[in-house]
């Protein structure tokens, strides 16, 4: 008979498995909450984290396996609380939350070795900093400074170029003076070299850690560590950085807070802005949500009296004013190869004046679909229920959902006809057309295909600075935080698709994108012009846009959402499931629906299971169930009761199941 020492500890360990439970292991001494360990699970050695709180099972010590190794790392307390909140709020398995939140290096079943790691601190200074806040900025600055010692959520709603970033820099300076740290959350594509340079120049003698997808796992971990021990003063990063530990955090800034990239759309479906708000409330510090087009959610919170709102109404650079936005009615003006004469003339004028123009078309590739004129065949993806996009560069068809790529067929795969046609316009096609129209102009295309390298943006800035570009053509990547002083014309093509969409957020997104792209022009002392080609010039959205009336548009949207019982007036959750066969997937979801119907909670509406809009993705069939709740509390009650029941209800087939709270993919 085996005997074990009397003081043997039973520890709950969180593992990276999709189960709502922890696992018990034994060890001879107690371990800290959040300690990284190595254990055996299903005949594999895996990393786990001590989670002492879960004491639901009192197992027989004899049957338990020992902890194999104890690593030195411990998840810091502030991140432990955040993880706990996240697991509760998103109803996601605890182990899964931990493994989504921690740096990659800590997931590896070995000791962390940080030798030969280059520092994450960026540095390069070109200009001297000497800017004074203007009157509008100063009033906001003074007011926020009064609130450094408590939770203070504030929206800074400032038109493009009104000096929001400048204001952040001054607020950060104040916080650093108090020996506190600052977290700046930015959408990935917003972290332009220009923005970084402004930070580096302003805070020359401070340690800034940059945590984006370009950072190597080691650099990311180093940033995580130096923030946790207080040596990094400023952390600038994308949504994952909301899980960075801090020694003494004094301020959070969420730049472009409306940006949908703050919401993760797979695994743990968290919203970094919302988690940031929670963190600020826990620590008791201000959080700034900056945007030229704040999200409806945040403005709703302001209307409810939960957030503060500051406005910056003028452009900061003297003489710089908002551009004139004009609609080009496609019912009236004929387009040749997608361009009206008005647009062609406007481009010609900028070329003569040696000014920069920008053409916005939110679709990369050459054409969204290749089709056969004889039998109607379309370039369907083998793995998804979407069409493959025709790409001119390297001539291939590519699925933008799963990256599946094939050579362009010379004949129709169905009827062998050679009468194939690329339908619709993407950035590459516009690039070709503009190249034919203005053969001597210098054209640059900006989309996901051209900006994947680390130096892509820097190269672009150098080119623009050296006047080596006349016309920029690109997707919404162009809409982001850039500041090109010589840009005087913005053209929007194919913009109407966002007007009539199944997704209730599509019109908000369209308005935001168009405001942002339009805002790129006229930032210097030259006046900007914006031309938008549309078939629906009478649409309310465009009328508000032309009038630069964001508040009017928001009121219009809020009225619409209220009358249709849409968020933020109600709360949504989406159950998602995927598997091999759509009927099996729907069948499983339907049985979950039945379970939920038995849990009677008032104010909840459960819709039937339906196939997702993109029904087939990466060879998986997908379906979803929408749940609507008048109050958030009731939604959480429903899931708290549902999850224990799910355990007993194993699907008969291999089915992946997830819960999405506050979903963005509808
Ligand atoms: P936003 O973040 O709102 O787009 P920025 O902070 O980037 O605005 O400011 C837009 C432009 O105005 C930048 O070129 C910036 O350097 C300049 N700027 C901002 N604030 C001031 C100020 N107080 N004095 C002079 N120039 C300013
Ligand atoms: Zn055919
Ligand atoms: Zn695909």
């Amino acid at each position: 008979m085996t005997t074990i020492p009397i003081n043997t500890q039973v520890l709950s360990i969180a593992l990276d498995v999709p189960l709502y439970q922890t696992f018990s292991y034994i060890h001879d001494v107690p371990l800290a909450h959040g300690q990284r360990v190595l254990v055996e699970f299903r005949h594999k050695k895996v990393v786990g984290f001590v989670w002492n709180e879960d004491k639901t099972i009192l197992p027989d010590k004899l049957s338990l396996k020992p902890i194999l190794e104890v690593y030195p790392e411990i998840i810091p307390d502030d991140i432990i609380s955040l993880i706990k909140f996240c697991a509760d709020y998103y109803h996601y398995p605890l182990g899964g939350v931990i493994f989504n939140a921690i740096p990659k290096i800590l997931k590896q079943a070995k000791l962390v070795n940080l030798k030969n790691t280059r520092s994450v601190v960026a540095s390069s200074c070109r200009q001297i900093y000497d800017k004074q806040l203007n009157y509008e900025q100063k009033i906001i600055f003074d007011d926020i400074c009064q609130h450094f010692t408590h939770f203070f959520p504030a929206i800074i709603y400032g038109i493009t170029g009104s000096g929001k970033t400048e204001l952040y820099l001054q607020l950060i300076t104040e916080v650093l003076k108090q020996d506190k740290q600052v977290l700046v959350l930015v959408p990935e594509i917003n972290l332009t070299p220009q923005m970084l340079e402004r930070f580096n120049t302003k805070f020359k003698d401070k340690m800034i850690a940059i945590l984006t997808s370009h950072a190597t796992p080691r650099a990311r971990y180093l940033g995580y560590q130096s923030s946790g021990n207080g040596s990094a003063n400023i952390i600038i990063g994308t949504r994952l950085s909301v899980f960075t530990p801090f020694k003494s955090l004094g301020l959070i800034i969420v730049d472009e807070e409306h940006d949908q990239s703050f919401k993760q759309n797979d695994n743990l479906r968290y919203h970094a802005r919302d988690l940031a708000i929670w963190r600020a409330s826990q620590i008791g510090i201000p959080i700034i949500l900056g945007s030229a087009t704040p999200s409806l959610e945040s403005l709703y919170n302001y209307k409810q009296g939960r957030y503060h709102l500051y406005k910056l109404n003028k452009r900061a650079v003297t003489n710089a004013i908002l551009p004139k936005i004009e609609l080009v009615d496609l019912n009236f003006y004929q387009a040749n190869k997608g361009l009206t004469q008005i647009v062609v003339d406007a481009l010609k004028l900028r070329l003569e004046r040696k000014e920069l123009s920008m053409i916005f078309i939110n679709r990369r590739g050459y054409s969204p679909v290749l089709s056969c004129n004889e039998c109607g065949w379309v370039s369907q993806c083998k793995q998804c229920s979407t069409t493959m996009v025709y790409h001119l560069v390297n001539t291939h068809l590519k699925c933008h959902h799963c990256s599946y790529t094939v050579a362009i067929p010379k004949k129709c795969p169905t009827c062998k006809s050679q009468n194939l046609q690329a339908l619709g316009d993407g950035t590459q096609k516009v690039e070709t057309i503009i190249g034919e129209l203005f053969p001597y102009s210098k054209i640059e295309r900006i989309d996901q295909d051209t900006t994947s390298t680390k130096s892509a943006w820097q190269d672009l800035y150098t080119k623009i600075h050296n006047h080596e570009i006349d016309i920029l053509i690109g997707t919404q990547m162009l809409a982001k935080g850039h500041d090109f002083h010589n840009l005087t014309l913005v053209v929007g093509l194919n913009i109407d698709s966002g007007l009539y969409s199944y997704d209730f957020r599509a019109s908000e997104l369209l308005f935001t994108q168009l405001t942002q792209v339009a805002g790129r022009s006229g930032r210097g002392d030259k006046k900007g012009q914006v031309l938008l080609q549309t078939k629906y010039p009478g649409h309310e959205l465009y009328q508000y846009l032309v009038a630069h009336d964001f508040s009017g548009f928001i009121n219009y949207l809020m009225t619409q959402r209220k009358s249709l019982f849409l968020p933020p007036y109600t709360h949504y959750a989406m159950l998602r499931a995927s598997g091999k066969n759509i009927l099996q997937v729907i069948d499983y979801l339907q049985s979950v629906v039945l379970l939920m119907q038995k849990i009677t909670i008032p104010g909840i509406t459960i819709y039937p299971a339906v196939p997702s809009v993109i029904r087939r993705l990466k060879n998986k069939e997908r379906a979803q169930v929408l749940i609507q709740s008048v109050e958030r509390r009731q939604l959480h009650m429903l899931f708290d009761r549902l999850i224990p029941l799910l355990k007993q209800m194993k699907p008969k087939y291999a089915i992946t199941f997830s819960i999405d709270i506050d979903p963005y993919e509808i």
Side-chain angles (χ1 to χ4, degrees), residues 356-460:
L356 183 62
S357 304
M358 188 165 106
I359 302 177
F360 167 68
I361 173 155
N362 211 0
R363 197 186 267 149
R364 69 195 166 96
Y366 188 84
S367 287
V369 58
L370 183 69
S371 163
C372 170
N373 281 335
E374 304 291 333
C375 74
W377 169 87
V378 288
S379 52
Q380 186 84 34
C381 174
K382 220 170 74 173
Q383 315 194 76
C384 313
S385 52
T386 53
T387 56
M388 304 189 44
V389 178
Y390 184 105
H391 279 254
L392 201 61
V393 185
N394 305 327
T395 52
H396 60 252
L397 294 172
K398 183 175 183 178
C399 172
H400 285 181
H401 295 273
C402 72
S403 297
Y404 181 71
T405 307
V406 291
I408 291 173
K410 294 204 172 64
K411 288 186 224 157
C412 168
T414 310
C415 74
K416 310 292 174 226
S417 155
Q418 294 191 356
N419 190 359
L420 297 179
Q421 195 188 357
L423 297 179
D425 303 341
T427 46
Q428 294 175 1
K429 190 165 178 183
V430 176
E431 185 184 16
T432 312
I433 293 168
I434 297 289
E436 286 164 5
L437 262 177
F438 304 110
Y440 299 107
S441 64
K442 289 163 278 179
I443 302 168
E444 191 84 13
R445 179 164 54 84
I446 309 293
D447 54 31
Q448 211 175 309
D449 301 317
T450 63
T451 52
S452 53
T453 62
K454 210 176 163 178
S455 64
W457 284 111
Q458 191 59 59
D459 298 346
L460 177 71

Side-chain angles (χ1 to χ4, degrees), residues 131-132 134 137 161-166 198 316-317 483 523:
K131 252 165 214 155
Q132 292 274 315
N134 62 33
Q137 288 166 320
S162 59
K164 294 183 291 297
T165 312
E166 199 56 46
R198 281 171 82 175
V317 170
D483 204 354
R523 291 172 76 95

Side-chain angles (χ1 to χ4, degrees), residues 81-102:
S81 331
L82 181 62
I83 286 170
K84 208 170 163 318
F85 170 76
C86 222
D88 287 345
Y89 186 89
Y90 291 108
H91 300 276
Y92 199 76
L94 177 76
V97 175
I98 298 178
F99 279 81
N100 265 279
I102 56 168

Side-chain angles (χ1 to χ4, degrees), residues 148 168-183 199 202-208 230 232-235 248 250-251:
F148 277 151
Y168 304 156
L169 296 174
Q170 297 288 350
L171 286 167
I172 294 171
T173 309
E174 284 306 301
V175 175
L176 296 184
K177 274 187 205 159
Q178 300 167 12
D179 272 334
K180 294 254 169 88
Q181 297 164 289
V182 181
L183 170 64
F199 272 83
K202 178 96 186 170
F203 307 108
K204 270 200 269 313
D205 50 344
K206 298 291 178 194
M207 179 170 172
I208 305 176
N233 306 98
I234 304 170
I235 303 292
S248 123
L251 171 70

Side-chain angles (χ1 to χ4, degrees), residues 186-190 239 254-266 269-273 291 293 295-297 476 480 503-513 561 662-666:
V186 288
E188 177 92 38
I189 33 184
N190 249 71
R239 67 171 177 250
V254 185
D255 187 30
E256 309 290 348
E257 69 90 25
H258 64 274
D259 199 285
Q260 295 200 1
S261 73
F262 286 122
K263 165 88 180 175
Q264 176 153 296
N265 281 326
D266 53 16
R269 292 167 173 262
Y270 67 96
H271 199 301
R273 177 198 59 213
S291 176
T293 50
S295 65
L296 211 72
E297 279 83 1
Q476 45 115 9
K480 305 298 167 162
D503 180 354
F504 71 88
R505 283 197 181 84
S507 55
E508 186 186 357
L509 182 65
L510 175 66
F511 193 94
T512 301
Q513 276 179 348
R561 298 241 187 127
D662 311 329
Y664 272 67
E665 276 177 355
I666 295 297

Side-chain angles (χ1 to χ4, degrees), residues 160-161 190 256 292 315 323 358 477-488 490 514-524 530:
T160 49
N190 249 71
E256 309 290 348
R315 285 200 153 172
M358 188 165 106
M477 287 196 144
L478 281 181
K480 305 298 167 162
H482 311 296
D483 204 354
F484 310 129
H485 278 207
N486 196 33
L487 179 73
T488 59
V490 171
L514 292 176
T515 305
Q516 298 277 355
V517 222
R520 295 310 114 209
S521 72
R523 291 172 76 95
V530 179

